[in-house]
Amino acid sequence: MRSFTVGRVWGIPIRINASLLLFLPVLAWLIGSGAQIETYATIVEGFAPGQLDVAALRAGATPWVIGAAAAVGLFVSVLLHELGHSYVARRYGIDIESITLWIFGGVASLRSVPREWDREFWIAVAGPIVSVLTAAACYLAVRFLPLPSGVVVFVVGWLAVTNVTLAVFNMLPAFPMDGGRVLRALLARRRPYAVATRTAARIGVGFAFLFALAGVLWFSPVLFLMAFFVYGAATGESRAVALDDLLDGMTVADLMARDPPTVPAETTVGAFTDRLFAERRTGFALADGGDIAGYVSIEDLRRRKLDDDAPVSAALPDPVPRVDAAADAFEALAELSGAKGGHALVTEGDRVVGVVSQADYARAVQLRRRAPSEGRPTAF
């Protein structure tokens, strides 16, 4: 689903995912209906200076006002939680691409995840610490401030309880939640980072199955969806770290194909296809006035569905993806994965020196897996 930028904090784009916009009314209804108000009113009365009038809280449209205010307050709390992660990451010199609020909470996208265990530890625990501090501020407001109405007392007290719950839940060692990242950081003190990640990911998968089981037993769709999220994120992170480990020390120049076979950019699609089959290739670089204009594969032709008389250059993506030859191979893979066709031109300065593809990455990974741990080749 799409995300929309709604503002910036410390220069970090704050985005709201469409899933959150769909879920907020549901959350407001869940909070304002049924026995939720009565249950939480009893908890809030435990630290509020006086009793709450439950009948007044449940009268007329008041439950929906409470539900809407509490739902928005919850996601403001989630934003503060993610800003906690972001603040500590920035103190370590790590840039934050964005903070996105969505149906399962929030995500602070770091440009790089530190492999130093102590840095990851403090970045991970910063979010739950902020949630606890937010809960403490709400508790003190209910306990000592003359809040204007019982509705405000209830909502602020509810946020105090919910922020404690948020902190505790996030500290479960279910990777990639905060607790799982803390676990990986502690494991990485005495073992390789990739091994620590695999161990934390396995524990995360175990929690995913527990969430799924609880979702079935309690008929909770949210827990069931959480199980899928934790499972997918844990296994995905484990694969990404393993890939990063295999590509460690390599640049795009180590993977790219130099001086790739070319065809003129004005070649027709029909002639281009004939040459593909004649030479048993899946694609060619396009030459334009002595320069390489891009790379077109058979998948590009299938996607564009061009006439045989059209120039094959019409199948080029706009813009043509480019990566620097000196770029870290793993970091460049993210840009290449988003490129249509899975190919990118490799440049040195303003000059195109080759082409790199996802197939080049697959070949490099395969060779490194077969190579001994010491003396692995660094170029292919």
Side-chain angles (χ1 to χ4, degrees):
M1 289 188 177
R2 289 187 59 188
S3 296
F4 308 91
T5 300
V6 296
R8 291 177 179 268
V9 177
W10 305 326
I12 303 170
I14 308 300
R15 297 174 178 167
I16 293 181
N17 187 266
S19 64
L20 175 58
L21 299 178
L22 296 174
F23 181 64
L24 271 177
V26 177
L27 180 59
W29 177 80
L30 290 173
I31 296 170
S33 65
Q36 291 281 335
I37 290 179
E38 186 172 350
T39 300
Y40 279 100
T42 303
I43 299 173
V44 174
E45 283 177 349
F47 56 88
Q51 286 191 333
L52 293 170
D53 187 346
V54 176
L57 294 177
R58 300 185 66 175
T62 304
W64 313 117
V65 174
I66 289 174
V72 173
L74 172 60
F75 279 93
V76 170
S77 299
V78 171
L79 174 59
L80 293 175
H81 179 104
E82 298 303 326
L83 286 172
H85 292 308
S86 302
Y87 176 78
V88 177
R90 284 162 60 93
R91 291 293 299 267
Y92 285 125
I94 300 172
D95 291 332
I96 313 298
E97 290 186 351
S98 64
I99 293 175
T100 302
L101 303 180
W102 68 311
I103 187 172
F104 288 128
V107 176
S109 300
L110 280 62
R111 290 193 182 276
S112 62
V113 177
R115 291 202 170 200
E116 300 86 353
W117 76 268
D118 55 337
R119 293 190 174 194
E120 181 169 34
F121 175 87
W122 287 113
I123 292 172
V125 300
I129 289 173
V130 169
S131 293
V132 171
L133 292 176
T134 303
C138 292
Y139 169 86
L140 293 173
V142 170
R143 192 82 175 89
F144 299 108
L145 294 181
L147 299 179
S149 68
V151 170
V152 176
V153 170
F154 177 87
V155 172
V156 176
W158 183 89
L159 288 173
V161 175
T162 304
N163 272 279
V164 171
T165 305
L166 179 65
V168 172
F169 183 75
N170 269 280
M171 285 304 293
L172 290 176
F175 193 82
M177 294 163 60
D178 296 337
R181 295 191 181 279
V182 168
L183 174 63
R184 176 171 68 177
L186 295 176
L187 291 173
R189 294 181 65 182
R190 300 183 181 277
R191 62 192 71 188
Y193 187 79
V195 174
T197 299
R198 284 196 296 271
T199 302
R202 290 192 189 103
I203 294 173
V205 169
F207 270 95
F209 282 110
L210 290 178
F211 289 152
L213 179 61
V216 172
L217 294 177
W218 297 339
F219 302 101
S220 173
V222 173
L223 280 176
F224 206 70
L225 290 173
M226 178 63 74
F228 278 102
F229 166 69
V230 171
Y231 179 84
T235 54
E237 180 88 6
S238 182
R239 287 194 295 267
V241 170
L243 181 60
D244 190 9
D245 194 51
L246 286 168
L247 296 176
D248 184 43
M250 300 184 69
T251 65
V252 174
D254 297 323
L255 304 176
M256 71 177 187
R258 291 184 179 272
D259 302 321
T262 62
V263 298
E266 63 272 14
T267 302
T268 64
V269 170
F272 183 84
T273 304
D274 290 341
R275 185 167 173 184
L276 285 178
F277 284 104
E279 300 188 22
R280 297 182 180 180
R281 295 185 58 84
T282 59
F284 283 100
L286 302 189
D288 185 13
D291 296 323
I292 296 179
Y295 189 96
V296 172
S297 66
I298 193 168
E299 288 80 9
D300 296 319
L301 296 179
R302 288 171 179 166
R303 184 174 61 253
R304 297 298 295 273
K305 298 180 180 179
L306 299 170
D307 294 334
D308 284 350
D309 294 334
V312 72
S313 58
L316 287 173
D318 184 22
V320 175
R322 295 170 179 258
V323 294
D324 191 90
D328 178 84
F330 181 75
E331 293 180 2
L333 179 59
E335 183 175 349
L336 183 63
S337 298
K340 292 181 179 179
H343 293 79
L345 299 184
V346 183
T347 59
E348 288 180 349
D350 295 331
R351 188 168 59 94
V352 176
V353 295
V355 175
V356 66
S357 69
Q358 293 180 0
D360 295 323
Y361 274 87
R363 175 171 171 267
V365 168
Q366 185 178 28
L367 288 174
R368 279 218 161 179
R369 281 176 175 165
R370 293 178 179 177
S373 57
E374 296 182 6
R376 283 176 168 170
T378 58
F380 304 91

